Amino acid sequence: APPSLFCPLFAMTSGFSFAMMGVVFYRRFLIYAAMFVVVMVLATIAPSWQWWLVGVVWWCTMFVPGVSMHGERKRRRQESDDTRIL
């Protein structure tokens, strides 16, 4: 297999992982799975940009949920000191 095929396969398996997390944990992860599908298609069209695309999408999938979870945590701490389960 050509080396340029590794990036689309990596994006596909990453997308499957986030799709499973979207089904099991929270539907918001399905957005990130769709982003990896777009990267998988674009990586075959623009091989010179494929690793930049994967890097940007991985950054988005780690940073955006982290910031939103941090804001949720701060909001819950301000509401009450009781322990709550999601």
Side-chain angles (χ1 to χ4, degrees):
S4 61
L5 187 63
F6 179 71
C7 182
L9 291 174
F10 180 68
M12 182 181 67
T13 56
S14 298
F16 284 156
S17 300
F18 279 95
M20 285 186 284
M21 288 193 306
V23 170
V24 174
F25 298 119
Y26 193 57
R27 289 187 183 152
R28 187 178 293 174
F29 287 113
L30 294 174
I31 296 168
Y32 304 112
M35 289 171 57
F36 278 112
V37 169
V38 170
V39 167
M40 182 180 65
V41 171
L42 290 177
T44 59
I45 296 170
S48 61
W49 286 87
Q50 64 185 0
W51 290 109
W52 287 103
L53 293 170
V54 167
V56 166
V57 171
W58 262 107
W59 182 82
C60 288
T61 57
M62 295 293 113
F63 185 75
V64 173
V67 168
S68 65
M69 285 189 282
H70 177 68
E72 179 73 19
R73 181 176 167 217
K74 283 177 64 176
R75 183 184 62 79
R76 287 185 181 193
R77 283 190 174 179
Q78 289 176 353
E79 285 180 358
S80 75
D81 292 332
D82 299 338
T83 304
R84 292 185 186 173
I85 297 177
L86 299 174

